[in-house]
Amino acid sequence: TFSFYVMGDAPYNKNQQEIVHDQIVELSADVTNDDMFLIHVGDALSSNSGCPSSDYAFMRNLLINKLPRLPSLIIPGDNDW
């Protein structure tokens, strides 16, 4: 058996970035060798954000720095263009 993590539809703004950051930090303490990957199923940005690269960088850096042993994949959603 194996397990994986799924997230999506966040963070849409700076307040949600703080919440997602705290959730990922909390999750990092629970990651085990049985956990295969994390997948973000899209809409990492709000539909009216304009898709700034800094928001993508936030999510990328958060996953790389806080979950370095857990492969992560972000699938673009309809807000991520």
Side-chain angles (χ1 to χ4, degrees):
T1 65
F2 68 92
S3 64
F4 59 93
Y5 299 95
V6 178
M7 63 183 293
D9 291 308
Y12 282 172
N13 56 49
K14 297 297 181 193
N15 290 335
Q16 288 184 8
Q17 281 184 347
E18 292 177 19
I19 293 168
V20 169
H21 174 272
D22 293 345
Q23 290 172 336
I24 294 295
V25 168
E26 185 176 327
L27 172 69
S28 69
D30 295 329
V31 172
T32 71
N33 290 335
D34 293 329
D35 299 327
M36 299 298 292
F37 58 88
L38 179 144
I39 186 167
H40 190 296
V41 294
D43 293 346
L45 309 173
S46 72
S47 60
N48 61 1
S49 70
C51 299
S53 60
S54 60
D55 287 351
Y56 289 111
F58 165 80
M59 184 59 69
R60 181 194 69 226
N61 292 336
L62 179 62
L63 296 175
I64 288 171
N65 294 328
K66 300 301 180 189
L67 299 172
R69 296 179 294 122
L70 188 65
S72 300
L73 175 67
I74 300 174
I75 298 173
D78 62 335
N79 294 349
D80 302 319
W81 305 107

Coordinates of all heavy atoms in Angstrom, one line a residue:
T1 N 0.8 -1.2 0.0 CA 0.0 0.0 0.0 C 0.9 1.2 0.0 O 2.0 1.2 0.4 CB -0.9 0.0 1.2 OG1 -0.1 0.2 2.4 CG2 -1.8 -1.2 1.3
F2 N 0.3 2.3 -0.4 CA 1.0 3.6 -0.4 C -0.1 4.7 -0.1 O -1.3 4.5 -0.2 CB 1.8 3.9 -1.6 CG 0.9 4.1 -2.9 CD1 0.5 5.3 -3.2 CD2 0.5 3.0 -3.6 CE1 -0.2 5.5 -4.4 CE2 -0.2 3.2 -4.8 CZ -0.6 4.4 -5.1
S3 N 0.4 5.9 0.1 CA -0.5 7.0 0.3 C 0.0 8.2 -0.4 O 1.2 8.3 -0.8 CB -0.7 7.3 1.8 OG 0.6 7.7 2.4
F4 N -0.8 9.2 -0.7 CA -0.4 10.4 -1.3 C -1.4 11.5 -0.8 O -2.4 11.3 -0.2 CB -0.5 10.3 -2.9 CG -1.9 9.9 -3.4 CD1 -2.7 10.9 -3.8 CD2 -2.2 8.6 -3.5 CE1 -4.0 10.6 -4.3 CE2 -3.5 8.3 -4.0 CZ -4.3 9.2 -4.4
Y5 N -1.0 12.7 -1.1 CA -1.7 13.9 -0.6 C -2.3 14.7 -1.8 O -1.6 14.7 -2.9 CB -0.8 14.9 0.2 CG -0.2 14.2 1.4 CD1 1.0 13.6 1.4 CD2 -0.9 14.2 2.6 CE1 1.6 13.0 2.5 CE2 -0.4 13.6 3.7 CZ 0.9 13.0 3.7 OH 1.4 12.4 4.8
V6 N -3.5 15.2 -1.7 CA -4.1 16.0 -2.7 C -4.5 17.3 -2.1 O -5.1 17.4 -1.0 CB -5.3 15.3 -3.3 CG1 -6.0 16.1 -4.4 CG2 -4.9 13.9 -3.9
M7 N -4.3 18.4 -2.9 CA -4.7 19.7 -2.5 C -5.1 20.5 -3.7 O -4.8 20.1 -4.9 CB -3.7 20.5 -1.7 CG -2.4 20.8 -2.5 SD -1.1 21.6 -1.6 CE -1.9 23.2 -1.2
G8 N -5.9 21.5 -3.6 CA -6.3 22.3 -4.7 C -7.1 23.5 -4.3 O -7.5 23.7 -3.2
D9 N -7.4 24.4 -5.3 CA -8.2 25.6 -5.1 C -7.7 26.5 -4.0 O -8.4 27.0 -3.2 CB -9.6 25.2 -4.8 CG -10.3 24.7 -6.1 OD1 -10.2 25.3 -7.1 OD2 -10.8 23.6 -6.0
A10 N -6.4 26.6 -3.9 CA -5.8 27.5 -2.9 C -4.3 27.6 -3.2 O -3.7 26.6 -3.7 CB -6.0 26.9 -1.5
P11 N -3.6 28.6 -2.8 CA -4.1 29.8 -2.2 C -4.5 30.9 -3.2 O -3.8 31.1 -4.1 CB -2.9 30.3 -1.4 CG -1.7 29.8 -2.2 CD -2.2 28.6 -2.9
Y12 N -5.6 31.5 -2.9 CA -6.1 32.6 -3.8 C -5.6 34.0 -3.4 O -5.8 34.9 -4.2 CB -7.6 32.6 -3.8 CG -8.3 31.5 -4.6 CD1 -9.6 31.3 -4.5 CD2 -7.5 30.7 -5.5 CE1 -10.3 30.3 -5.3 CE2 -8.1 29.7 -6.2 CZ -9.5 29.5 -6.1 OH -10.1 28.5 -6.9
N13 N -5.1 34.2 -2.2 CA -4.7 35.5 -1.8 C -3.6 35.4 -0.7 O -3.3 34.3 -0.3 CB -5.9 36.4 -1.3 CG -6.6 35.7 -0.2 OD1 -6.1 35.2 0.8 ND2 -8.0 35.6 -0.3
K14 N -3.1 36.5 -0.3 CA -2.0 36.5 0.7 C -2.4 35.8 2.0 O -1.7 35.1 2.7 CB -1.5 37.9 1.0 CG -0.9 38.6 -0.2 CD 0.3 37.8 -0.7 CE 0.9 38.5 -1.9 NZ 1.9 37.7 -2.6
N15 N -3.7 36.0 2.5 CA -4.2 35.4 3.7 C -4.2 33.9 3.5 O -3.8 33.2 4.4 CB -5.5 35.9 4.1 CG -5.5 37.3 4.5 OD1 -4.5 37.8 5.0 ND2 -6.6 38.0 4.4
Q16 N -4.7 33.4 2.4 CA -4.7 32.0 2.2 C -3.3 31.4 2.0 O -3.0 30.3 2.3 CB -5.5 31.6 0.9 CG -7.0 31.8 1.2 CD -7.9 31.4 0.0 OE1 -7.4 30.8 -1.0 NE2 -9.1 31.7 0.1
Q17 N -2.3 32.2 1.5 CA -0.9 31.8 1.4 C -0.4 31.4 2.8 O 0.3 30.5 3.0 CB -0.1 32.8 0.7 CG -0.2 32.8 -0.8 CD 0.8 33.8 -1.4 OE1 1.4 34.7 -0.7 NE2 0.9 33.7 -2.7
E18 N -0.8 32.3 3.8 CA -0.3 32.0 5.2 C -0.9 30.7 5.7 O -0.2 29.9 6.4 CB -0.7 33.2 6.1 CG 0.1 34.5 5.7 CD -0.3 35.6 6.6 OE1 -0.9 35.4 7.7 OE2 0.0 36.8 6.2
I19 N -2.2 30.5 5.4 CA -2.9 29.3 5.9 C -2.3 28.1 5.2 O -2.0 27.1 5.9 CB -4.4 29.4 5.6 CG1 -5.0 30.5 6.4 CG2 -5.1 28.0 5.8 CD1 -6.4 30.9 6.0
V20 N -2.1 28.1 3.9 CA -1.5 27.0 3.2 C -0.1 26.7 3.7 O 0.3 25.6 3.9 CB -1.5 27.2 1.7 CG1 -0.7 26.2 0.9 CG2 -2.9 27.2 1.1
H21 N 0.7 27.8 3.9 CA 2.0 27.6 4.5 C 2.0 26.8 5.8 O 2.7 25.9 6.0 CB 2.7 29.0 4.7 CG 4.0 28.9 5.4 ND1 4.1 28.9 6.8 CD2 5.3 28.8 4.9 CE1 5.4 28.8 7.1 NE2 6.1 28.7 6.0
D22 N 1.1 27.3 6.7 CA 1.0 26.6 8.0 C 0.6 25.1 7.8 O 1.0 24.3 8.5 CB 0.0 27.4 8.9 CG 0.6 28.7 9.3 OD1 1.8 29.0 9.1 OD2 -0.2 29.5 9.8
Q23 N -0.4 24.9 6.9 CA -0.8 23.5 6.7 C 0.3 22.6 6.1 O 0.4 21.5 6.5 CB -2.0 23.5 5.7 CG -3.3 24.1 6.3 CD -4.4 24.3 5.3 OE1 -4.2 24.4 4.1 NE2 -5.6 24.3 5.8
I24 N 1.1 23.2 5.2 CA 2.2 22.4 4.7 C 3.3 22.1 5.7 O 3.8 21.0 5.8 CB 2.8 23.1 3.4 CG1 1.8 23.2 2.3 CG2 4.1 22.4 3.0 CD1 1.4 21.8 1.7
V25 N 3.6 23.1 6.6 CA 4.5 22.9 7.7 C 4.0 21.8 8.6 O 4.8 20.9 9.0 CB 4.7 24.2 8.4 CG1 5.5 24.0 9.7 CG2 5.5 25.2 7.5
E26 N 2.7 21.8 8.9 CA 2.1 20.8 9.8 C 2.2 19.4 9.1 O 2.6 18.4 9.7 CB 0.7 21.1 10.1 CG 0.0 20.2 11.0 CD -1.4 20.6 11.4 OE1 -1.6 21.8 11.5 OE2 -2.2 19.7 11.7
L27 N 1.9 19.4 7.8 CA 2.0 18.2 7.0 C 3.4 17.6 7.0 O 3.6 16.4 7.1 CB 1.5 18.4 5.6 CG 1.6 17.3 4.6 CD1 0.7 16.1 4.9 CD2 1.4 17.8 3.2
S28 N 4.4 18.5 6.9 CA 5.8 18.0 6.8 C 6.2 17.1 8.0 O 7.0 16.2 7.8 CB 6.7 19.2 6.6 OG 6.8 19.9 7.8
A29 N 5.6 17.3 9.1 CA 5.9 16.5 10.3 C 5.3 15.1 10.2 O 5.8 14.2 10.9 CB 5.4 17.2 11.5
D30 N 4.3 14.9 9.3 CA 3.6 13.7 9.2 C 4.0 12.8 8.0 O 3.6 11.7 7.9 CB 2.1 13.9 9.1 CG 1.5 14.5 10.4 OD1 2.1 14.3 11.5 OD2 0.5 15.3 10.3
V31 N 4.9 13.4 7.1 CA 5.3 12.6 5.9 C 6.1 11.4 6.3 O 7.0 11.5 7.1 CB 6.0 13.6 5.0 CG1 6.6 12.8 3.8 CG2 5.1 14.6 4.4
T32 N 5.8 10.3 5.7 CA 6.6 9.1 6.0 C 7.1 8.5 4.7 O 6.8 9.0 3.6 CB 5.7 8.0 6.6 OG1 4.7 7.5 5.7 CG2 4.9 8.5 7.8
N33 N 7.9 7.4 4.8 CA 8.4 6.8 3.6 C 7.3 6.1 2.7 O 7.5 5.8 1.6 CB 9.5 5.8 3.9 CG 10.7 6.4 4.5 OD1 11.0 7.6 4.2 ND2 11.5 5.7 5.3
D34 N 6.2 5.9 3.3 CA 5.0 5.3 2.6 C 4.3 6.3 1.7 O 3.5 6.0 0.8 CB 4.0 4.7 3.5 CG 4.6 3.5 4.2 OD1 5.5 2.8 3.6 OD2 4.2 3.2 5.3
D35 N 4.5 7.6 1.9 CA 3.9 8.7 1.2 C 4.6 8.9 -0.1 O 5.8 9.1 -0.2 CB 3.9 10.0 2.0 CG 3.1 9.8 3.3 OD1 2.1 9.1 3.3 OD2 3.5 10.5 4.3
M36 N 3.9 8.7 -1.2 CA 4.5 8.7 -2.6 C 4.6 10.1 -3.2 O 5.7 10.3 -3.8 CB 3.7 7.8 -3.5 CG 3.6 6.3 -3.1 SD 5.2 5.5 -3.0 CE 5.6 5.4 -4.7
F37 N 3.6 10.9 -3.0 CA 3.7 12.2 -3.7 C 2.6 13.1 -3.2 O 1.7 12.7 -2.5 CB 3.6 12.1 -5.2 CG 2.3 11.4 -5.7 CD1 1.2 12.1 -5.9 CD2 2.3 10.0 -5.9 CE1 0.0 11.5 -6.4 CE2 1.2 9.4 -6.3 CZ 0.0 10.1 -6.6
L38 N 2.7 14.4 -3.6 CA 1.6 15.4 -3.3 C 1.2 15.9 -4.7 O 2.1 16.2 -5.5 CB 2.1 16.5 -2.4 CG 1.1 17.6 -2.2 CD1 1.3 18.1 -0.7 CD2 1.2 18.8 -3.1
I39 N 0.0 16.1 -4.9 CA -0.5 16.6 -6.2 C -1.5 17.8 -5.9 O -2.3 17.7 -5.0 CB -1.2 15.6 -7.1 CG1 -1.6 16.2 -8.4 CG2 -2.4 15.0 -6.4 CD1 -1.9 15.1 -9.5
H40 N -1.2 18.9 -6.5 CA -2.1 20.1 -6.4 C -2.9 20.0 -7.7 O -2.4 20.1 -8.8 CB -1.3 21.4 -6.4 CG -2.1 22.6 -6.0 ND1 -3.1 23.0 -6.9 CD2 -2.1 23.4 -5.0 CE1 -3.6 24.1 -6.3 NE2 -3.0 24.4 -5.2
V41 N -4.2 19.9 -7.5 CA -5.1 19.7 -8.7 C -5.6 20.9 -9.4 O -6.6 20.9 -10.1 CB -6.3 18.8 -8.3 CG1 -5.8 17.4 -7.9 CG2 -7.1 19.4 -7.2
G42 N -4.9 22.0 -9.1 CA -5.2 23.2 -9.9 C -5.8 24.4 -9.1 O -6.3 24.2 -8.0
D43 N -5.9 25.5 -9.8 CA -6.4 26.7 -9.3 C -5.6 27.2 -8.0 O -6.1 27.4 -7.0 CB -7.9 26.6 -8.9 CG -8.7 26.5 -10.2 OD1 -8.2 26.7 -11.3 OD2 -9.9 26.2 -10.1
A44 N -4.3 27.3 -8.3 CA -3.4 27.8 -7.2 C -3.5 29.3 -7.2 O -2.9 29.9 -6.3 CB -1.9 27.4 -7.5
L45 N -4.2 29.9 -8.1 CA -4.4 31.4 -8.1 C -5.9 31.7 -8.3 O -6.6 30.8 -8.8 CB -3.6 32.0 -9.3 CG -2.2 31.6 -9.5 CD1 -1.6 32.1 -10.8 CD2 -1.3 32.1 -8.4
S46 N -6.3 32.9 -7.9 CA -7.6 33.3 -8.2 C -7.8 33.6 -9.6 O -6.8 34.0 -10.3 CB -8.0 34.4 -7.3 OG -7.4 35.6 -7.7
S47 N -9.0 33.6 -10.1 CA -9.2 33.9 -11.5 C -8.9 35.3 -11.9 O -8.8 35.6 -13.1 CB -10.7 33.5 -11.9 OG -11.6 34.3 -11.2
N48 N -8.9 36.2 -11.0 CA -8.6 37.6 -11.3 C -7.2 38.1 -10.9 O -6.9 39.2 -10.8 CB -9.7 38.5 -10.7 CG -9.7 38.4 -9.2 OD1 -9.0 37.7 -8.6 ND2 -10.6 39.2 -8.6
S49 N -6.3 37.1 -10.7 CA -5.0 37.5 -10.1 C -4.0 37.9 -11.2 O -3.0 38.6 -10.9 CB -4.4 36.2 -9.5 OG -4.0 35.3 -10.4
G50 N -4.3 37.6 -12.5 CA -3.3 38.0 -13.5 C -2.2 37.0 -13.6 O -1.3 37.2 -14.4
C51 N -2.2 36.0 -12.8 CA -1.1 34.9 -12.9 C 0.3 35.4 -12.7 O 1.2 35.1 -13.5 CB -1.2 34.1 -14.2 SG -2.8 33.3 -14.4
P52 N 0.6 36.2 -11.6 CA 1.9 36.7 -11.4 C 2.9 35.5 -11.1 O 2.5 34.6 -10.3 CB 1.8 37.6 -10.2 CG 0.6 37.2 -9.5 CD -0.4 36.6 -10.5
S53 N 4.1 35.6 -11.6 CA 5.0 34.5 -11.4 C 5.4 34.4 -9.9 O 5.8 33.3 -9.4 CB 6.3 34.8 -12.2 OG 6.9 36.0 -11.9
S54 N 5.2 35.5 -9.1 CA 5.5 35.4 -7.7 C 4.6 34.4 -7.0 O 5.0 33.8 -6.0 CB 5.5 36.8 -7.0 OG 4.2 37.3 -7.2
D55 N 3.4 34.3 -7.4 CA 2.4 33.4 -6.8 C 2.8 32.0 -7.1 O 2.7 31.1 -6.2 CB 1.0 33.7 -7.2 CG 0.4 35.0 -6.6 OD1 1.1 35.5 -5.6 OD2 -0.7 35.4 -7.0
Y56 N 3.2 31.7 -8.3 CA 3.7 30.4 -8.6 C 5.0 30.1 -7.9 O 5.2 28.9 -7.4 CB 4.0 30.2 -10.1 CG 2.7 30.2 -11.0 CD1 2.4 31.3 -11.8 CD2 1.8 29.2 -10.9 CE1 1.3 31.3 -12.6 CE2 0.7 29.2 -11.7 CZ 0.4 30.2 -12.5 OH -0.7 30.2 -13.3
A57 N 5.9 31.0 -7.7 CA 7.1 30.8 -7.0 C 6.8 30.5 -5.5 O 7.5 29.7 -4.9 CB 8.0 32.1 -7.1
F58 N 5.8 31.2 -5.0 CA 5.5 30.9 -3.6 C 5.1 29.4 -3.4 O 5.7 28.8 -2.5 CB 4.2 31.7 -3.1 CG 3.6 31.2 -1.9 CD1 4.2 31.6 -0.6 CD2 2.5 30.4 -1.9 CE1 3.6 31.1 0.5 CE2 1.9 29.9 -0.7 CZ 2.5 30.3 0.5
M59 N 4.3 28.9 -4.2 CA 3.9 27.5 -4.1 C 5.0 26.6 -4.4 O 5.3 25.6 -3.6 CB 2.7 27.2 -5.0 CG 2.1 25.8 -4.9 SD 1.5 25.4 -3.2 CE 0.1 26.4 -3.1
R60 N 5.8 26.8 -5.4 CA 7.0 26.0 -5.7 C 7.9 26.0 -4.6 O 8.4 24.9 -4.1 CB 7.7 26.5 -7.0 CG 8.9 25.7 -7.4 CD 9.7 26.3 -8.4 NE 10.4 27.5 -7.8 CZ 10.5 28.7 -8.3 NH1 10.0 29.0 -9.5 NH2 11.1 29.7 -7.7
N61 N 8.3 27.1 -4.1 CA 9.3 27.2 -3.0 C 8.8 26.6 -1.7 O 9.5 25.9 -1.0 CB 9.7 28.7 -2.7 CG 10.4 29.3 -3.9 OD1 11.1 28.5 -4.7 ND2 10.4 30.6 -4.0
L62 N 7.5 26.7 -1.5 CA 6.9 26.1 -0.3 C 7.0 24.6 -0.3 O 7.4 24.0 0.6 CB 5.4 26.5 -0.1 CG 4.6 26.0 1.0 CD1 5.3 26.4 2.4 CD2 3.2 26.4 1.0
L63 N 6.6 24.0 -1.5 CA 6.7 22.6 -1.6 C 8.1 22.1 -1.6 O 8.4 21.0 -0.9 CB 5.9 22.1 -2.8 CG 4.4 22.4 -2.9 CD1 3.8 22.1 -4.2 CD2 3.7 21.8 -1.7
I64 N 9.0 22.7 -2.2 CA 10.4 22.3 -2.3 C 11.1 22.4 -0.9 O 11.8 21.5 -0.5 CB 11.2 23.1 -3.4 CG1 10.7 22.7 -4.7 CG2 12.7 22.9 -3.2 CD1 11.3 23.5 -5.9
N65 N 10.8 23.5 -0.3 CA 11.5 23.8 1.0 C 10.9 23.1 2.2 O 11.7 22.7 3.1 CB 11.6 25.3 1.3 CG 12.4 26.0 0.3 OD1 13.4 25.5 -0.2 ND2 12.1 27.2 0.0
K66 N 9.6 22.9 2.2 CA 9.0 22.3 3.4 C 8.7 20.8 3.2 O 8.5 20.1 4.2 CB 7.6 23.0 3.7 CG 7.8 24.5 4.0 CD 8.7 24.7 5.2 CE 8.9 26.2 5.5 NZ 9.9 26.5 6.5
L67 N 8.7 20.3 2.0 CA 8.5 18.9 1.7 C 9.5 18.4 0.8 O 9.2 17.8 -0.3 CB 7.1 18.7 1.1 CG 5.9 19.1 2.0 CD1 4.6 19.0 1.2 CD2 5.8 18.3 3.2
P68 N 10.8 18.5 1.2 CA 11.9 18.2 0.2 C 11.9 16.7 -0.1 O 12.4 16.3 -1.2 CB 13.1 18.6 1.0 CG 12.8 18.5 2.4 CD 11.3 18.9 2.5
R69 N 11.4 15.8 0.7 CA 11.5 14.4 0.4 C 10.2 13.9 -0.3 O 10.1 12.7 -0.7 CB 11.7 13.6 1.7 CG 13.0 13.8 2.3 CD 13.2 13.0 3.6 NE 12.2 13.5 4.6 CZ 11.3 12.7 5.2 NH1 11.2 11.5 5.0 NH2 10.5 13.2 6.1
L70 N 9.2 14.7 -0.5 CA 7.9 14.3 -1.1 C 7.8 14.9 -2.5 O 7.6 16.1 -2.7 CB 6.8 14.8 -0.2 CG 5.4 14.3 -0.6 CD1 5.3 12.8 -0.4 CD2 4.4 15.0 0.3
P71 N 7.9 14.1 -3.6 CA 7.7 14.7 -4.9 C 6.3 15.3 -5.0 O 5.3 14.8 -4.5 CB 7.8 13.4 -5.8 CG 8.5 12.4 -5.0 CD 8.2 12.7 -3.6
S72 N 6.3 16.5 -5.7 CA 5.1 17.3 -5.8 C 4.9 17.7 -7.2 O 5.8 17.9 -8.0 CB 5.2 18.6 -4.9 OG 5.4 18.2 -3.6
L73 N 3.6 17.7 -7.6 CA 3.2 18.0 -9.0 C 2.0 19.0 -8.9 O 1.1 18.8 -8.1 CB 2.8 16.8 -9.7 CG 2.2 17.0 -11.1 CD1 3.3 17.5 -12.1 CD2 1.6 15.7 -11.6
I74 N 2.1 20.1 -9.6 CA 1.0 21.0 -9.7 C 0.4 21.0 -11.1 O 1.1 21.2 -12.1 CB 1.5 22.5 -9.4 CG1 2.1 22.6 -8.0 CG2 0.3 23.5 -9.6 CD1 2.8 23.9 -7.7
I75 N -0.9 20.6 -11.2 CA -1.6 20.5 -12.5 C -2.3 21.9 -12.6 O -3.1 22.3 -11.7 CB -2.6 19.4 -12.5 CG1 -1.8 18.1 -12.3 CG2 -3.4 19.4 -13.7 CD1 -2.7 16.9 -12.2
P76 N -2.1 22.6 -13.7 CA -2.8 23.9 -13.9 C -4.3 23.7 -14.0 O -4.8 22.8 -14.6 CB -2.3 24.4 -15.2 CG -1.0 23.6 -15.5 CD -1.2 22.3 -14.8
G77 N -5.0 24.6 -13.3 CA -6.5 24.6 -13.4 C -6.9 25.8 -14.3 O -6.1 26.5 -14.8
D78 N -8.2 26.0 -14.3 CA -8.7 27.1 -15.2 C -8.3 28.5 -14.8 O -8.3 29.4 -15.6 CB -10.2 26.9 -15.4 CG -11.0 27.1 -14.2 OD1 -10.4 26.9 -13.1 OD2 -12.2 27.5 -14.3
N79 N -7.9 28.6 -13.5 CA -7.5 29.9 -13.1 C -6.0 30.2 -13.3 O -5.5 31.3 -13.1 CB -7.7 30.1 -11.6 CG -9.2 30.1 -11.2 OD1 -10.0 30.2 -12.1 ND2 -9.5 30.0 -9.9
D80 N -5.2 29.2 -13.7 CA -3.8 29.2 -13.7 C -3.2 29.6 -15.1 O -2.1 29.1 -15.4 CB -3.2 27.9 -13.2 CG -3.7 27.6 -11.8 OD1 -3.7 28.5 -11.0 OD2 -4.0 26.4 -11.5
W81 N -3.8 30.4 -15.8 CA -3.4 30.7 -17.2 C -3.0 32.1 -17.3 O -3.5 33.0 -16.9 CB -4.4 30.4 -18.2 CG -4.9 29.0 -18.2 CD1 -6.2 28.6 -17.7 CD2 -4.3 27.8 -18.6 NE1 -6.3 27.3 -17.8 CE2 -5.1 26.8 -18.4 CE3 -3.0 27.6 -19.1 CZ2 -4.8 25.5 -18.6 CZ3 -2.7 26.3 -19.4 CH2 -3.5 25.2 -19.2

